[in-house]
Amino acid sequence: ADPCCKSYGLGVVPYSPLARGVLTGKYMTNQTPDTNSRAGRGDARIHQTELRSESLVIAQKIKEYAEAKGVSSVAFSLAWVLNNKAVSSVIAGPRTEQHWDSYMAALDYSLTPEDEAFIDDLVKPSHASTHGYTDPNYPIEGREIYHHSI
């Protein structure tokens, strides 16, 4: 989480902890999304942000890893977000009660150092899943420099 928040003791409450559903593992590369899904309904933000091939491949790896540990990718992903000391809570947006119920399993799963290392190997900490990706709604503008007259 943000170093500034950590420095000042502010809690972080991230939204969309399942990356708009990508971390459920339901989206596959080179497959048309189900028409009942956010991506299949044409949600603009998922198409701008999370629905990148690199993210979909990573989500499948997380799903396989989590299921091998006896937990869903939903519970694993939420537990991972909540395992950050700076995170106070999450803003989760389940569409159905069944979704909400699946989120609750995250509270029963304790991440291990191996789990953390697995995620760090998939995505370098503090980076997006796609090298060099920046959300178009939140561009990184770089540093401002002084213009000196000579």
Side-chain angles (χ1 to χ4, degrees):
D2 188 302
C4 181
C5 291
K6 184 178 176 183
S7 175
Y8 288 100
L10 300 174
V12 175
V13 183
Y15 71 96
S16 195
L18 295 175
R20 291 182 172 78
V22 169
L23 290 173
T24 66
K26 67 183 171 184
Y27 298 113
M28 308 289 267
T29 57
N30 301 319
Q31 285 188 4
T32 302
D34 184 303
T35 56
N36 290 325
S37 68
R38 181 183 305 248
R41 290 189 305 272
D43 180 272
R45 283 299 286 154
I46 193 171
H47 288 280
Q48 285 177 324
T49 58
E50 290 86 2
L51 208 63
R52 300 184 314 275
S53 61
E54 297 88 347
S55 297
L56 301 181
V57 168
I58 289 168
Q60 288 305 309
K61 289 178 182 180
I62 291 171
K63 182 177 181 179
E64 292 168 12
Y65 179 87
E67 289 176 353
K69 296 194 79 139
V71 65
S72 72
S73 60
V74 169
F76 181 87
S77 298
L78 288 171
W80 181 83
V81 171
L82 293 169
N83 200 45
N84 184 326
K85 285 183 181 182
V87 172
S88 300
S89 184
V90 296
I91 299 174
R95 193 173 46 85
T96 67
E97 186 174 345
Q98 182 181 5
H99 291 165
W100 178 252
D101 292 342
S102 71
Y103 292 9
M104 294 297 100
L107 301 176
D108 296 325
Y109 186 77
S110 295
L111 262 78
T112 66
E114 292 78 20
D115 295 339
E116 292 286 347
F118 171 75
I119 297 298
D120 288 351
D121 285 344
L122 290 175
V123 180
K124 184 178 176 185
S126 301
H127 291 268
S129 61
T130 303
H131 180 72
Y133 174 79
T134 301
D135 184 331
N137 279 5
Y138 304 99
I140 296 173
E141 300 186 11
R143 67 191 193 109
E144 292 185 36
I145 60 171
Y146 291 100
H147 295 282
H148 299 282
S149 298
I150 300 183

